[in-house]
């Protein structure tokens, strides 16, 4: 019985880790490029809404296209126009919530046709994608993305268009976050509910930092919040604790894990992993 | 497209931003409602008494934003702090105790984010945002549990918060604006503004950056909590929280007003009026059968315009 429950929790953990890993990989690309995009939360939410509104089989593609375009607008405003990355991201999250809720307005509570995929294969596919991303960071484009987050001035002086590199990173980030959103509504929940779709992108933003912007480490770190999400569901009946309090646990865990990671970074050579231009706007005319 | 720094900031661009936001709102309303007569109705139907109430709430929370952002600190958890303030007001049971208790609870709620920023260097934007999500979960627990009104059978709401009038709320807003204006004329206020230039500059000025962070984020969280308390206490009826409506969205409204108001107390005061109007447009759109979260999209767009106004006031856009 205990073994069965452990297996069920493991499968549930892998299922809920899949969207977190996908969005975390997107956040890693963006943050490595020097952009701290809190609007990722809005991109996940919006794409989940588009996916459920369009339905199978085109919902997934439509969601990825919409989410990538939404993210790209954010990147243009945050980089070319140098708008404050953090607050613009917050504004984009709110815009994403508003647009998404309107797009999926008629779908509340309706069960949609679900893709014939179980969550754990998606997690395996996302883990393979993490390997691919690790390879990408070794290529010329990957090096440019990392340089854009570490030293955009030098990158610019080498003749590489920093803004174009960041736009490319933004499109990839948006596509991955949207894949996570589409997975949530078409595979994980198979329905549309506003509160259920909220918070996933936010967890991914934190997990990108916790994994020290390493795609391979992200495979492991994405399991931490998903384990608590699964446990919260599984333990509701046993603990007799309010489900609302249990649903706060993954976010509290995120804060705790982020703090531990930050302390580890501060007190060790891991500091070198932090993109030095993270959340700082690059204005070409102000370069030293 | 390139950004070239202006010789001196040009605050007039905040007006351009406000105009941009206005045009966005009109265009979105027209696009969603389809017919110009319905759009005009949605844009112009306003209850002055209710507008004053919303203005007072948004104004108070915008002051919280001004304090935080002028110090270069990114408290984006005003909504969570407001929820905690509202819960404290409900739990207080008396008008005299409600506001001090809300302020104290909101400050306590903000302290973890402050401590993590000071002790571990954790980005306060991320922690305050996460604390907002946690605040929503905790508020739902209180609605169903400790603060549930047992007299309302089958209707899951909290007990009612004590009542204060709109004019009292406006007086609180005026007092806060006067206090903040006075604060910026003191050494502590100046140091808080200096934080935006970097912790090194504050240290060079002989002050402690940690103290400045504590002061700025602490005041910001406290004021946001007051905003939440005022929101629930100024309702004419239904001064309770429901499971589905623990988050009223005024945190976002306040942040938008702060940016549209050029992070100046007086500017925030004026832009709060505009945001109050925007709130009414969103309510009217809901009456026409659109999603209630659409208000977030309109106010989020207003915030983006406010951020654009900030950039345009400092830089010229050169196309080449």
């Amino acid at each position: 019985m205990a073994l069965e429950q452990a297996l069920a929790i493991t499968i549930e953990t892998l299922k809920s880790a899949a969207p977190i890993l996908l969005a975390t990989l997107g956040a890693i690309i963006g943050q490595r490029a020097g952009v701290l995009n809190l609007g990722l939360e809005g991109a996940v939410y919006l794409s989940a809404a588009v996916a459920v509104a369009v339905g199978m089989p085109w919902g997934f593609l439509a969601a990825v296209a919409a989410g990538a375009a939404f993210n790209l607008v954010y990147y243009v405003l945050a980089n070319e126009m140098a708008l404050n990355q953090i607050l613009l991201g917050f504004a984009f999250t709110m815009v994403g919530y508003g647009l998404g809720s309107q797009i999926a307005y008629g779908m509340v509570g309706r069960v949609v046709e679900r893709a014939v995929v179980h969550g754990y294969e998606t997690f395996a596919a996302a883990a393979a994608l993490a390997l691919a991303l690790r390879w990408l960071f070794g290529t010329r484009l990957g090096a440019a993305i990392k340089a854009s987050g570490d030293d955009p001035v030098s990158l610019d002086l080498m003749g590489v268009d920093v803004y174009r590199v960041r736009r490319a990173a933004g499109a990839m980030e948006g596509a991955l976050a949207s894949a996570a959103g589409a997975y949530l509504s078409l595979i994980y929940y198979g329905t549309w509910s506003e509160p259920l779709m909220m918070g996933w992108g936010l967890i991914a933003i934190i997990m990108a930092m916790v994994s020290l912007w390493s795609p391979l480490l992200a495979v492991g770190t994405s399991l931490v919040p998903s384990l608590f999400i699964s446990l919260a569901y599984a333990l509701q009946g046993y603990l007799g604790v309010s489900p609302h309090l249990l649903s706060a646990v993954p976010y509290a865990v995120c804060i705790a894990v982020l703090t531990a990671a930050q302390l580890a970074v501060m007190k060790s050579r891991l500091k070198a992993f932090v993109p030095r231009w993270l959340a700082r706007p690059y204005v070409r005319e102000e370069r030293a | 497209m390139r950004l070239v720094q202006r010789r001196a900031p040009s605050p007039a661009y905040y007006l351009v931003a406000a105009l941009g936001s206005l045009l966005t709102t009109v265009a979105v309303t027209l696009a969603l409602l389809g017919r110009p007569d319905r759009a005009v109705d949605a844009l112009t139907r306003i209850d002055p008494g209710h507008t004053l109430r919303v203005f007072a709430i948004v104004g108070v929370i915008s002051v919280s934003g001004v304090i935080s952002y002028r110090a270069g600190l990114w408290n984006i958890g005003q909504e969570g702090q407001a929820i905690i303030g509202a819960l404290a007001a409900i739990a207080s049971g008396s008008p005299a105790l409600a506001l001090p208790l809300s302020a104290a609870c909101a400050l306590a709620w903000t302290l973890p984010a402050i401590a993590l920023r000071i002790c571990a260097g954790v980005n306060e934007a991320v922690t305050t945002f996460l604390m907002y999500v946690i605040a929503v979960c905790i508020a739902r627990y209180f609605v169903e549990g400790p603060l549930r009104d047992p007299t309302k059978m089958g209707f899951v709401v909290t007990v009612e918060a004590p009542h204060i009038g709109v004019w009292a709320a406006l007086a609180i807003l005026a007092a806060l604006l006067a206090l903040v204006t006075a604060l910026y004329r003191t050494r502590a206020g100046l140091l808080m503004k200096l934080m935006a230039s970097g912790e090194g500059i504050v240290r060079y000025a002989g002050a402690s950056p940690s103290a400045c962070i504590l002061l700025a984020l602490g005041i910001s969280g406290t004021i946001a909590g007051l905003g939440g308390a005022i929101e629930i206490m100024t309702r004419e009826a239904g001064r309770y929280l429901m499971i589905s409506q623990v988050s009223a969205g005024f945190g976002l409204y306040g942040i938008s007003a702060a940016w549209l108001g050029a992070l100046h107390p007086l500017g925030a005061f004026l832009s709060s009026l505009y945001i109050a109007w925007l709130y009414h447009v969103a309510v009217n759109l809901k009456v026409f059968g659109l999603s209630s979260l659409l208000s977030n999209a309109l106010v989020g767009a207003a915030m983006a315009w406010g951020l654009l106004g900030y950039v345009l006031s400092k830089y010229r856009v050169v196309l080449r």
Side-chain angles (χ1 to χ4, degrees):
Chain A
M1 188 69 181
L3 189 69
E4 271 177 28
Q5 278 181 336
L7 191 67
I9 288 176
T10 308
I11 290 175
E12 198 51 44
T13 301
L14 292 177
K15 279 183 181 177
S16 55
I20 295 175
L21 178 55
L22 280 171
T24 301
L25 294 177
I28 286 174
I29 299 176
Q31 292 179 22
R32 275 274 177 117
V35 182
L36 180 55
N37 176 14
L38 295 188
L40 195 78
E41 164 71 9
V44 171
Y45 187 90
L46 177 66
S47 52
V50 170
V52 85
V54 175
M56 292 294 290
W58 297 108
F60 192 84
L61 278 179
V64 170
F70 180 77
N71 217 46
L72 210 51
V73 175
Y74 167 86
Y75 267 71
V76 170
L77 289 173
N79 294 300
E80 267 91 334
M81 292 303 295
L83 266 62
N84 184 295
Q85 290 181 12
I86 289 169
L87 289 155
L88 184 68
F90 184 59
F92 261 63
T93 290
M94 295 306 148
V95 171
Y97 283 170
L99 288 180
S101 298
Q102 186 55 40
I103 288 168
Y105 196 47
M107 302 298 293
V108 179
R110 260 202 249 171
V111 179
V112 295
E113 185 195 343
R114 291 167 88 154
V116 192
V117 182
H118 300 98
Y120 41 86
E121 323 73 307
T122 316
F123 183 76
L129 212 57
L131 263 176
L133 191 57
R134 173 75 186 78
W135 168 81
L136 177 80
F137 281 141
T139 64
R140 201 176 159 80
L141 173 64
I145 288 174
K146 288 192 286 183
S148 155
D150 280 328
D151 192 355
V153 178
S154 300
L155 187 67
D156 204 354
L157 288 171
M158 282 172 69
V160 180
D161 186 340
V162 174
Y163 300 113
R164 186 179 291 179
V165 169
R166 289 189 173 184
R167 277 199 301 273
M172 284 190 266
E173 182 189 66
L176 284 164
S178 313
Y183 170 90
L184 282 171
S185 56
L186 292 181
I187 297 172
Y188 189 64
Y189 291 119
T191 184
W192 172 258
S193 156
E194 287 169 357
L196 287 181
M197 302 299 164
M198 289 178 175
W200 293 88
L202 195 54
I203 290 175
I205 296 163
I206 312 291
M207 286 306 120
M209 294 173 176
V210 170
S211 61
L212 297 174
W213 301 276
S214 155
L216 296 185
L217 268 180
V219 177
T221 56
S222 64
L223 291 169
V224 178
S226 55
L227 174 67
F228 282 91
I229 291 169
S230 310
L231 280 177
Y233 282 122
L235 295 179
Q236 264 175 36
Y238 296 100
L239 294 177
V241 178
S242 159
H244 301 302
L245 287 183
L246 285 175
S247 55
V249 172
Y251 301 103
V253 168
C254 280
I255 294 181
V257 175
L258 179 64
T259 307
Q262 188 80 24
L263 284 171
V265 165
M266 273 172 76
K267 291 176 181 167
S268 68
R269 273 184 274 172
L270 292 173
K271 206 179 250 181
F273 286 94
V274 183
R276 275 172 290 175
W277 275 68
L278 184 60
R280 283 171 64 190
Y282 174 64
V283 180
R284 195 161 195 252
E285 262 59 23
E286 284 184 354
R287 72 181 177 198
Chain B
M1 189 172 69
R2 295 283 177 259
L3 295 175
V4 179
Q5 196 158 20
R6 296 181 190 279
R7 284 178 195 276
S10 174
Y13 280 92
Y14 283 101
L15 286 176
V16 175
L19 193 65
S21 165
L22 181 68
L23 289 174
T24 307
T25 306
V26 171
V28 168
T29 309
L30 254 173
L32 288 173
L33 295 178
R35 281 174 25 204
D37 57 325
R38 291 175 81 190
V40 169
D41 193 23
L43 291 166
T44 54
R45 202 191 315 153
I46 283 165
D47 171 0
H50 194 226
T51 305
L52 266 186
R53 175 182 165 263
V54 175
F55 162 65
I57 302 159
V58 175
V60 168
I61 298 181
S62 74
V63 176
S64 156
V66 168
I67 294 274
S68 169
Y69 308 139
R70 277 191 89 162
L73 297 164
W74 311 116
N75 174 18
I76 54 174
Q78 275 94 347
E79 183 67 22
Q81 291 140 17
I83 289 171
I84 297 299
L87 279 177
I90 291 167
S92 70
S94 86
L97 197 61
L99 291 175
L101 190 65
S102 300
C105 289
L107 174 61
W109 187 254
T110 319
L111 280 178
I114 299 173
L116 291 179
R117 165 64 202 260
I118 292 172
C119 303
V122 181
N123 188 318
E124 70 281 0
V126 174
T127 43
T128 51
F129 199 2
L130 277 168
M131 293 289 279
Y132 152 59
V133 185
I134 295 174
V136 170
C137 298
I138 287 179
R140 286 183 178 147
Y141 160 70
F142 272 96
V143 173
E144 272 190 358
L147 290 178
R148 184 174 174 178
D149 187 346
T151 61
K152 294 202 170 71
M153 307 284 224
F155 191 40
V156 185
V157 294
T158 61
V159 290
E160 293 222 0
H163 180 64
I164 58 167
V166 173
W167 292 108
L170 288 169
I172 293 169
L173 171 61
L176 277 176
L177 287 170
L179 279 173
V180 170
T181 309
L183 175 70
Y184 281 137
R185 291 173 193 277
T186 65
R187 181 181 151 79
L190 181 67
L191 287 169
M192 268 165 52
K193 282 199 282 186
L194 216 53
M195 263 299 291
S197 306
E199 294 187 16
I201 307 277
V202 174
R203 246 180 244 116
Y204 187 71
S208 155
S210 300
C212 288
I213 294 170
L214 177 66
L215 196 63
L217 285 180
I219 294 174
S220 173
T222 305
I223 294 175
L226 279 177
I230 290 169
E231 193 277 316
I232 199 153
M233 291 170 72
T234 48
R235 293 182 193 175
E236 280 305 315
R239 286 187 297 281
Y240 47 70
L241 287 180
M242 297 163 71
I243 287 273
S244 58
Q245 282 180 339
V246 290
S247 179
F250 283 103
L252 169 69
Y253 297 178
I255 299 174
S256 301
W259 280 97
L260 272 178
L263 297 185
H264 189 280
L266 186 64
F269 179 82
L270 294 174
S271 59
S272 296
L273 258 181
Y274 169 70
I275 297 289
W277 168 75
L278 215 52
Y279 173 86
H280 275 281
V281 174
V283 169
N284 293 341
L285 287 176
K286 196 180 165 191
V287 172
F288 280 112
L290 300 171
S291 166
S292 59
L293 278 180
L294 207 57
S295 61
N296 284 12
L298 289 178
V299 181
M303 184 169 152
W305 276 105
L307 295 170
L308 186 66
Y310 175 76
V311 170
L312 292 179
S313 71
K314 288 176 73 178
Y315 298 95
R316 276 186 303 123
V317 177
V318 178
L319 298 172
R320 61 174 181 222

